[in-house]
């Protein structure tokens, strides 16, 4: 089948020439008849010069570019991209006997817009964010099992919450290859039950790996409070780091059960840990002053799109004000935002105004971000989402 052509309006090729992978619908002058969502299309300038090839979609982002300067893709396109993604994770030292979970594909950051793949041992959990990647799922899954060193035996496809609702595609959560429920993966020598069937996202937040490892180094002799604990990642690193006590809080009973199970897996019978199923804001309001000297705030994204920035910032300010008010003098606060719409500067300003409100003197010790297996294509700054601060509160 011949590949269809999408032509841009005059002057709208600038960002594509700079290799930004998104083409907005407003830049397009004509879309061919009978085009299907998810179809591979060739993109041309108004003058007919080839710009590249991408997946078409109805919506504000109309094309997600897969390759620039070509008018078709080679048959082994996915295989090559996946091999190069795998090679990068190897280079980063993430594939080791004591670490078998990592992000293999981070969408635009791996030049595969619309696709996310996390690896847990010999299982890959794959999410499509675009119809194009949804239709390519079988091909991607086959290519995954063909990277010889990766030894992937199972591919679980989980896209019911990531595909655009309007595309009207049948959501799908199922194994494409193999089947294995109940995997235990290892991160920096610590064990985690990964529930990709029922858990959030791909079952685990791989993106906090390095920030958890940093927390471990601060934990010795401290009383730790891990808010929004989900699978208990920060709590388990704090235990290994020699914390005096660790408390984990999440409003979801399922998350607290996951934390407890992971704690039992790594520190069976260790009574330094307790967990609470409670709303974070209520917990912070009710807790005593000076009770904790290491607090982690890793909430869900408060601003899921640009329109929510203002309220999101209010949320971050409120949350951080509470922590500043209650943390023990000399305490350490790890505070995060995973809202893509909120910039590093905006987040820092919200945390600054929280410190003013609480009347605490605060120093920035570390500025944190997403790890290298969540790379950011320099042409696509929207790929930066995770930011964090490690603060000393006098
Ligand atoms: N820190 C975790 C990831 C946090 S994800 C890690 O390292 O893996 C965000 C978590 O916040 C989810 O588990 C969700 O259940 C929880 N959550 C959302 N709203 C909450 C609230 N108001 N109070 C407490 N927990 C909340």
């Amino acid at each position: 089948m011949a590949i269809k052509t999408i032509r841009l309006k005059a002057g709208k090729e600038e960002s594509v020439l700079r290799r930004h992978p998104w083409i907005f619908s407003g830049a397009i002058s004509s879309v061919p008849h009978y085009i299907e969502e998810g179809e591979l299309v060739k993109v041309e300038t108004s003058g007919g010069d080839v710009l590249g090839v991408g997946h078409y979609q109805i919506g504000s982002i109309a094309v997600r570019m897969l390759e620039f300067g070509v008018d078709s893709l080679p048959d082994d396109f996915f295989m090559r991209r996946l091999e190069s993604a795998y090679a990068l994770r190897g280079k980063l030292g993430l594939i080791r006997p004591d670490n078998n979970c990592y992000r293999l594909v981070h969408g635009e950051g791996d030049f595969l817009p619309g696709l996310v793949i996390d690896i847990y041992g010999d299982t890959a959990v794959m999410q499509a964010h675009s119809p194009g990647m949804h239709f390519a799922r079988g091909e991607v899954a086959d290519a995954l099992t063909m990277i010889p060193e990766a030894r992937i035996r199972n591919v679980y496809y989980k896209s019911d919450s990531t595909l655009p609702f309007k595309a009207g595609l049948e959501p799908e959560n199922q194994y494409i290859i193999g089947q294995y429920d109940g995997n235990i993966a290892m991160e920096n020598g610590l064990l985690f039950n990964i529930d990709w069937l029922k858990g959030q996202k791909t079952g685990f937040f791989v993106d906090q790996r390095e920030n958890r490892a940093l927390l471990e180094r601060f934990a010795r002799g401290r009383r730790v409070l891990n808010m929004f604990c989900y699978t208990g990642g920060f709590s388990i690193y704090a235990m290994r780091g020699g914390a005096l006590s660790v408390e984990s809080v999440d409003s979801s009973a399922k998350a607290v059960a996951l934390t407890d199970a992971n704690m039992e897996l790594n520190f069976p019978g260790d009574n330094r840990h307790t967990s609470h199923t409670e709303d974070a804001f209520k917990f912070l309001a009710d807790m005593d002053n000076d009770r904790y000297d290491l607090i982690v705030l890793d909430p869900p994204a408060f601003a899921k799109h640009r329109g929510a920035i203002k309220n999101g910032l209010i949320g971050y300010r409120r949350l951080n004000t509470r922590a500043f008010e209650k943390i023990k003098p000399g305490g350490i606060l790890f505070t995060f935002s995973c809202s893509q719409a909120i910039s590093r500067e905006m987040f820092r300003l919200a945390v600054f105004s929280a410190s003013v409100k609480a009347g605490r003197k605060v120093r920035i010790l570390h500025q944190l971000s997403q790890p290298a297996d969540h790379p950011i294509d320099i042409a696509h700054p929207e790929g930066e989402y995770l930011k964090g601060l490690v603060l000393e509160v006098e």
Side-chain angles (χ1 to χ4, degrees):
M1 192 176 66
I3 181 167
K4 289 172 193 153
T5 302
I6 281 190
R7 194 160 277 202
L8 301 189
K9 291 179 185 159
K12 291 290 185 188
E13 66 280 1
E14 278 308 312
S15 76
V16 192
L17 290 171
R18 290 197 301 263
R19 305 179 85 87
H20 193 288
W22 295 346
I23 296 178
F24 290 96
S25 55
I28 292 175
S29 85
S30 67
V31 172
H33 292 306
Y34 311 115
I35 193 167
E36 301 273 352
E37 261 208 287
E39 234 180 90
L40 196 68
V41 291
K42 179 171 76 178
V43 180
E44 289 182 356
T45 63
S46 60
D49 293 334
V50 170
L51 288 166
V53 170
H55 280 144
Y56 173 72
Q57 168 171 350
I58 298 165
S60 119
I61 302 173
V63 182
R64 287 160 206 260
M65 297 299 285
L66 297 169
E67 186 61 287
F68 297 91
V70 297
D71 58 10
S72 65
L73 293 180
D75 289 343
D76 60 354
F77 170 77
F78 283 110
M79 188 68 220
R80 285 202 218 165
R81 286 277 148 102
L82 293 177
E83 272 178 343
S84 113
Y86 185 79
L88 175 64
R89 276 63 187 176
K91 237 186 273 181
L92 295 171
L94 290 174
I95 307 165
R96 313 186 305 266
D98 69 333
N99 194 86
N100 65 7
C101 57
Y102 53 90
R103 177 153 292 191
L104 176 65
V105 173
H106 185 60
E108 287 80 359
D110 284 290
F111 311 117
L112 288 167
L115 185 66
V116 164
I117 302 174
D118 285 340
I119 303 295
Y120 302 112
D122 55 12
T123 301
V125 183
M126 178 170 136
Q127 294 191 306
H129 293 255
S130 67
M133 287 301 180
H134 174 71
F135 294 127
R137 65 197 182 283
E139 207 183 322
V140 174
D142 287 342
L144 271 172
T145 59
M146 284 189 297
I147 310 171
E149 323 82 66
R151 289 194 211 91
I152 289 161
R153 295 202 175 81
N154 319 297
V155 180
Y156 186 68
Y157 181 61
K158 183 175 186 184
S159 283
D160 67 338
S161 60
T162 57
L163 279 174
F165 169 71
K166 277 183 275 180
L169 300 166
E170 279 299 306
E172 214 176 276
N173 280 2
Q174 64 178 56
Y175 285 95
I176 301 184
I177 293 171
Q179 168 150 9
Y180 182 55
D181 317 337
N183 197 21
I184 291 178
M186 194 179 273
E187 183 183 89
N188 289 325
L190 293 166
L191 298 172
F192 290 93
N193 289 290
I194 317 285
D195 188 355
W196 48 79
L197 300 184
K198 291 187 234 88
Q200 303 175 44
K201 305 271 170 86
T202 66
F204 192 57
F205 285 83
V206 198
D207 59 359
Q208 288 288 25
R209 178 186 52 244
E210 277 153 38
N211 302 330
R212 295 193 269 252
L214 180 65
L215 177 108
E216 179 176 357
R217 298 184 357 222
F218 280 94
R220 185 153 302 281
R222 291 192 184 266
R223 299 198 182 275
V224 180
L225 174 63
N226 179 15
M227 303 298 283
F228 310 93
C229 64
Y230 186 35
T231 55
F234 283 103
S235 304
I236 286 157
Y237 278 75
M239 294 286 280
R240 190 169 67 179
L244 275 185
S245 64
V246 179
E247 291 179 50
S248 307
V249 179
D250 202 288
S251 56
S252 146
K254 255 196 271 171
V256 169
L258 277 170
T259 295
D260 289 342
N262 286 331
M263 201 52 82
E264 206 43 39
L265 206 54
N266 293 279
F267 299 98
D270 193 325
N271 59 15
R272 287 178 298 154
H273 180 251
T274 43
S275 52
H276 312 267
T277 306
E278 208 175 315
D279 175 74
F281 286 92
K282 183 169 185 313
F283 188 93
L284 285 169
D286 294 348
M287 80 191 201
D288 297 334
N289 286 345
D290 301 349
R291 187 177 159 86
Y292 306 98
D293 54 5
L294 177 48
I295 299 181
V296 182
L297 301 175
D298 184 25
F302 284 166
K304 292 215 160 58
H305 50 84
R306 300 187 65 81
I309 291 179
K310 193 162 167 256
N311 282 335
L313 288 171
I314 292 173
Y316 289 116
R317 195 168 61 225
R318 262 184 62 207
L319 183 65
N320 284 279
T321 302
R322 281 274 182 259
F324 283 136
E325 282 166 355
K326 303 275 174 107
I327 197 168
K328 196 171 169 185
I332 301 287
L333 178 64
F334 274 63
T335 183
F336 295 96
S337 161
C338 60
S339 303
Q340 188 272 328
I342 288 182
S343 71
R344 198 165 278 283
E345 289 67 32
M346 286 190 241
F347 178 59
R348 185 166 151 174
L349 200 59
V351 175
F352 168 57
S353 62
S355 75
V356 172
K357 200 144 189 251
R360 300 294 292 263
K361 196 167 160 191
V362 169
R363 284 189 288 176
I364 299 175
L365 306 181
H366 294 274
Q367 310 205 43
L368 308 177
S369 58
Q370 62 215 58
D373 54 341
H374 295 58
I376 303 161
D377 176 1
I378 199 161
H380 178 256
E382 297 88 338
E384 181 176 6
Y385 70 101
L386 184 62
K387 41 247 148 196
L389 295 166
V390 181
L391 306 167
E392 192 223 31
V393 189
E394 230 180 76

